[in-house]
Amino acid sequence: MAIWYVLIGVVIGMIAGFFLARYLFKKEMKKNPPINEKMIRAMFREMGRKPNEAQIRRIMKNVNDSYK
């Protein structure tokens, strides 16, 4: 019977750990996004294009929406 309690505890711990890690990861991504507007401008320049503000805002919105 004790083995069942251990197994149930491990399963519950894994589920709780998954959701806690997911929450902390999303929170960290909102606080420190992996890409910012300066990086987007630099990527456009490397491709030989001059981005306008609408393109940059659209890309930033897509990036931010992907972490929600």
Side-chain angles (χ1 to χ4, degrees), residues 4 9-10 13 15 20 23 25 27 30-31 33 36-39 42-45 47 52-53 56-58 65-67:
W4 286 109
V10 168
I15 292 170
L20 177 66
Y23 168 76
F25 183 76
K27 181 179 171 186
K30 282 184 182 179
K31 192 164 70 170
N36 59 25
E37 291 180 9
K38 289 171 93 175
M39 292 177 174
M43 286 189 289
F44 269 88
R45 271 187 245 119
M47 292 186 294
N52 58 27
E53 285 300 313
I56 292 172
R57 279 193 226 109
R58 186 175 63 233
D65 288 347
S66 68
Y67 294 117

